[in-house]
């Protein structure tokens, strides 16, 4: 039986993080968690991490696509926060962000990980950015590292 399992350490990995400025009071914590996981657990050099700030979550798919198309990165991590309000805006932004990122991931051979919080309220966002529910930025970074190694193993590299 041949079993492929990814490991998390990827010291040579080149990783881009696309992050939304909107709701940066939450996203800053997601970014801290992602960078910490990349450096401390993944052993990725600080020089191999690129951070790209964009206006909001809606802009993450296009930015991620542009990063993937450079062929400079082994993975791209998308970070942002969309908090439900009193209008349908939440559904449009969260849905298009998720759909767009999925589309980019499926049309490239570069892992794209989803570290975008879609929450009902600010309290839930805070919980997922480093308190009760862990740090989803760190989780997205660990997923990116593992997927880099899984794809390499599948391709026999």
């Amino acid at each position: 039986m041949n079993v492929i399992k990814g490991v998390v350490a990827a010291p040579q990995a080149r990783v881009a993080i696309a992050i939304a400025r909107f709701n940066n009071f939450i996203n800053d914590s997601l970014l801290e968690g992602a960078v910490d996981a990349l450096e401390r657990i993944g052993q990725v050099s600080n020089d191999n991490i690129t951070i790209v700030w964009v206006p909001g979550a809606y802009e993450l798919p296009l930015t991620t696509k542009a990063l993937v198309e450079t062929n400079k990165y082994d993975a791209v991590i998308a970070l942002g926060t969309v908090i439900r309000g009193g209008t349908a805006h939440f559904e449009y932004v969260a849905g298009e962000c998720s759909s767009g990122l999925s589309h980019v991931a499926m049309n490239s051979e570069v892992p794209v990980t989803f570290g975008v919080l879609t929450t009902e309220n600010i309290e839930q966002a805070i919980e997922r950015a480093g308190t009760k529910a862990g740090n989803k930025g760190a989780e997205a970074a660990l997923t990116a590292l593992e997927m880099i190694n899984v794809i390499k193993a599948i391709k026999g590299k």
Side-chain angles (χ1 to χ4, degrees):
M1 172 170 43
N2 188 14
V3 178
I4 295 174
K5 293 181 181 179
V7 295
V8 178
Q12 304 305 316
R14 298 162 302 146
V15 180
I17 301 171
I19 181 167
R21 273 193 318 272
F22 195 80
N23 288 323
N24 73 306
F25 65 100
I26 298 294
N27 299 342
D28 288 346
S29 293
L30 296 175
L31 179 60
E32 286 177 28
V35 171
D36 179 60
L38 291 172
E39 293 178 337
R40 192 172 46 83
I41 300 170
Q43 302 167 8
V44 177
S45 163
N46 188 276
D47 292 338
N48 285 359
I49 302 170
T50 300
I51 300 168
V52 180
W53 287 91
V54 301
Y58 189 82
E59 290 74 30
L60 289 171
L62 176 59
T63 306
T64 300
K65 179 178 181 282
L67 288 164
V68 164
E69 289 176 350
T70 68
N71 293 315
K72 293 180 183 178
Y73 304 102
D74 298 307
V76 180
I77 302 165
L79 300 177
T81 304
V82 185
I83 301 170
R84 185 180 299 279
T87 68
H89 184 75
F90 171 88
E91 280 82 12
Y92 293 114
V93 173
E96 292 303 318
C97 177
S98 174
S99 176
L101 290 170
S102 176
H103 182 76
V104 172
M106 294 303 296
N107 289 295
S108 77
E109 294 187 14
V110 174
V112 173
T113 60
F114 189 81
V116 180
L117 303 179
T118 54
T119 65
E120 295 294 319
N121 52 52
I122 291 171
E123 291 77 17
Q124 285 180 352
I126 292 168
E127 287 175 4
R128 287 159 180 77
T131 61
K132 292 180 191 176
N135 186 304
K136 300 305 178 188
E139 289 178 21
L142 294 174
T143 299
L145 293 169
E146 186 171 345
M147 286 304 298
I148 288 168
N149 289 319
V150 165
I151 298 299
K152 282 182 181 179
I154 290 169
K155 292 183 175 185
K157 291 183 179 179

